[in-house]
């Protein structure tokens, strides 16, 4: 069985990200070799996914202007704008 090919796209900090319908934002970012979703507020440490199930909040991003969205829970939508 072959792997599905990307059929939608969105932007992350202005860069084009290819995604497969049904993928979460986090999965699509990892698939596109994005390993840093944000930096911590005080220490500036890089963060990505940790739990992958909506518990830790390490993966938060801004989606279409709405802050603090857990990228591991939100399905990628064609044309959405995601930022750190
Ligand atoms: S990776 Fe833990 S909430 Fe998303």
């Amino acid at each position: 069985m072959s792997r599905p090919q990307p059929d939608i796209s969105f932007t992350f900090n202005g860069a084009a990200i290819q995604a497969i319908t049904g993928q979460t934002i986090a999965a699509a970012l990892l698939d596109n070799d994005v390993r840093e979703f944000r930096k911590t507020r005080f220490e500036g440490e890089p963060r990505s996914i940790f739990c992958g199930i909506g518990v830790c909040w390490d993966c938060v991003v801004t989606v279409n202007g709405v802050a603090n969205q857990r990228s591991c829970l939100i399905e990628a939508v064609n044309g959405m704008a995601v930022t750190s």
Side-chain angles (χ1 to χ4, degrees):
M1 187 171 161
S2 65
R3 185 170 193 266
Q5 295 301 304
D7 57 350
I8 59 175
S9 66
F10 63 92
T11 60
F12 179 67
N13 294 336
I17 300 294
Q18 304 301 311
I20 301 164
T21 297
Q23 248 182 343
T24 62
I25 293 170
L29 290 175
L30 293 176
D31 243 3
N32 284 262
D33 297 322
V34 175
R35 296 292 183 263
E36 181 182 311
F37 296 5
R38 68 177 181 95
K39 291 187 183 298
T40 58
R41 187 181 322 167
F42 298 113
E43 301 296 329
E45 296 292 329
R47 289 292 181 268
S48 178
I49 66 167
F50 183 69
C51 72
I53 56 172
V55 175
C56 73
W57 293 78
D58 262 9
C59 66
V60 293
V61 292
T62 298
V63 179
N64 292 332
V66 181
N68 300 318
Q69 302 298 300
R70 289 169 287 179
S71 62
C72 69
L73 297 181
I74 299 175
E75 188 173 319
V77 172
N78 196 43
M80 69 184 355
V82 181
T83 55
S84 293

